[in-house]
Amino acid sequence: MAAILLAGGAGYIGSHTAVELLNAGYAVIVADNYANSSPEAIRRVEEITGKQVKLYEADIRDDKKLLEIFRENQIDAVIHFAGLKAVGESVAKPVMYYRNNIDTTLSLLEAMQETGVKNIIFSSSATVYGEENSVPYTEEMKRGVCTNPYGWTKAMTEQIFEDAAKADPSLSVVLLRYFNPIGAHPSGRIGEDPRGIPNNLMPYVTQVAVGKRECLTIFGHDYPTKDGTCTRDYIHVVDLAKGHVKAVDYVLRHNGTEIFNLGTGTPYSVKEIVESFERVNAIKLNHVYGNRRLGDLAEFYANADKAERLLGWKTEKTLDDMCRDAWNWQKQNPDGYRKSN
């Protein structure tokens, strides 16, 4: 049984990936400092799967502790989720973002080098395409000019991994460029639990629905799109997690660097999200239209053919599934993991 270390694995995407890896027969080790996550998520992963996770409370930048984790376990591959991810916060606190997101990467690579681990998957982002590339985005496009420090940390980390793999031909690297993960596990036991005011659309929608926020503002209604609101490639987090399982299968049998888009290839508008959420959950959302936000692109979506071709992966969940599961999580856990059973 291959063992996979999830660095930052107690977070939103990490916890869902842990479920799918356990269900696929992998052993899962999680290291997390809980800066944006909760150990309760891993307890629930064990509840969902009936299997155990080896859990360490650790900052991935702590080289000594990280080396201990690598030496205590026979690790076959690493998935690097350990990063800060709020765009607005990255603009306000760029040094913190560069320090955290780059240092976690270097610490992991050094620990891998020290212990002979050769396989790593990086949780990257479609934000690295920047504003210059045209949709749909394909993996052979050059990385664009990022519009915020968060995006630059993703682009820089991709470059670090590419350089490391060139220097060490036995290193196997997979860079997964996510589009817009939403939804939650169908059980409602794990889901997205943002701290403070949500940065992303769906948790804001669900918090308005549950009464934690008064009103949803849709930024811009005059974009050159099908209904005037921004369109994005929203992907169900369970589909995304299954993409990681396929990426693990792949990284264990190839060398060099490979990039994959993980998206549906179908752009949904903000208005369509609101309408789907209201319809499938029989809830009326209080929402208003506001001005466009600086830096928002009209359209943003993937061409995910490469992932289907080389990984044998494609999405299965619908927009209605995403909206239904997101609400199922939120209504069961109105305060996330903090005050829930």
Side-chain angles (χ1 to χ4, degrees):
M1 182 193 300
I4 315 301
L5 171 65
L6 308 189
Y12 175 45
I13 298 168
S15 58
H16 287 82
T17 299
V19 167
E20 299 306 325
L21 285 168
L22 290 165
N23 286 342
Y26 288 101
V28 171
I29 304 148
V30 168
D32 203 300
N33 66 356
Y34 311 129
N36 281 312
S37 60
S38 168
E40 174 65 14
I42 299 304
R43 190 189 72 75
R44 295 189 189 189
V45 165
E46 294 178 326
E47 173 196 305
I48 290 166
T49 61
K51 298 178 181 181
Q52 281 195 310
V53 174
K54 197 166 183 182
L55 180 60
Y56 293 88
E57 182 172 355
D59 191 315
I60 303 303
R61 297 171 297 173
D62 182 342
D63 295 334
K64 187 179 174 188
K65 180 66 176 174
L66 191 61
L67 211 47
E68 277 178 27
I69 294 168
F70 273 82
R71 286 181 173 150
E72 282 178 18
N73 299 279
Q74 189 68 43
I75 294 166
D76 295 284
V78 177
I79 306 181
H80 178 12
F81 294 111
L84 300 172
K85 61 172 191 173
V87 170
E89 185 181 52
S90 80
V91 174
K93 301 176 180 177
V95 174
M96 183 175 81
Y97 268 68
Y98 287 116
R99 171 65 74 190
N100 184 86
N101 292 7
I102 303 298
D103 277 8
T104 52
T105 301
L106 297 175
S107 293
L108 282 168
L109 279 168
E110 286 168 350
M112 288 170 64
Q113 201 168 32
E114 184 82 15
T115 55
V117 177
K118 295 294 186 182
N119 308 303
I120 188 160
I121 295 162
F122 175 52
S123 169
S124 191
S125 166
T127 192
V128 302
Y129 288 112
E131 295 183 353
E132 305 85 77
N133 290 304
S134 56
V135 291
Y137 299 122
T138 58
E139 292 88 349
E140 69 275 5
M141 290 175 173
K142 287 186 177 179
R143 284 188 289 264
V145 175
C146 298
T147 56
N148 54 74
Y150 161 75
W152 279 118
T153 66
K154 293 297 188 185
M156 289 174 181
T157 299
E158 285 195 0
Q159 188 65 53
I160 290 166
F161 279 125
E162 287 175 355
D163 291 343
K166 277 181 198 163
D168 179 0
S170 65
L171 198 61
S172 177
V173 174
V174 169
L175 307 175
L176 297 180
R177 291 177 178 167
Y178 306 161
F179 280 72
N180 292 70
I182 61 173
H185 193 268
S187 66
R189 298 299 288 152
I190 57 173
E192 191 168 8
D193 183 20
R195 304 281 166 93
I197 299 170
N199 290 286
N200 300 323
L201 175 63
M202 185 55 83
Y204 209 102
V205 164
T206 59
Q207 288 191 12
V208 170
V210 85
K212 285 189 77 172
R213 308 278 163 203
E214 191 178 327
C215 181
L216 171 71
T217 300
I218 298 173
F219 297 105
H221 54 87
D222 57 352
Y223 284 97
T225 58
K226 48 192 163 186
D227 58 26
T229 63
C230 290
T231 68
R232 295 289 181 267
D233 192 334
Y234 294 98
I235 174 174
H236 197 296
V237 68
V238 172
D239 278 335
L240 185 69
K242 289 178 178 176
H244 289 73
V245 178
K246 295 289 191 181
V248 167
D249 297 344
Y250 186 84
V251 81
L252 292 173
R253 57 183 169 80
H254 107 298
N255 293 334
T257 304
E258 204 71 71
I259 301 169
F260 295 101
N261 287 336
L262 294 186
T264 64
T266 303
Y268 299 108
S269 74
V270 177
K271 191 176 177 192
E272 284 176 312
I273 292 274
V274 170
E275 289 171 348
S276 172
F277 189 91
E278 289 183 329
R279 185 182 70 257
V280 300
N281 299 313
I283 287 174
K284 201 70 185 159
L285 280 174
N286 187 19
H287 65 277
V288 296
Y289 288 96
N291 294 326
R292 293 186 185 191
R293 282 187 307 196
L294 194 65
D296 272 354
L297 300 177
E299 291 191 293
F300 200 96
Y301 62 98
N303 177 317
D305 292 350
K306 183 179 177 183
E308 184 175 358
R309 190 172 71 251
L310 294 187
L311 301 182
W313 171 88
K314 66 177 183 177
T315 58
E316 298 170 348
K317 305 275 192 180
T318 66
L319 180 59
D320 283 0
D321 293 329
M322 301 178 210
C323 292
R324 186 182 301 108
D325 291 341
W327 176 235
N328 187 35
W329 151 257
Q330 185 74 77
K331 71 182 177 186
Q332 287 188 45
N333 305 271
D335 294 305
Y337 293 115
R338 288 175 289 287
K339 293 182 182 176
S340 306
N341 297 317

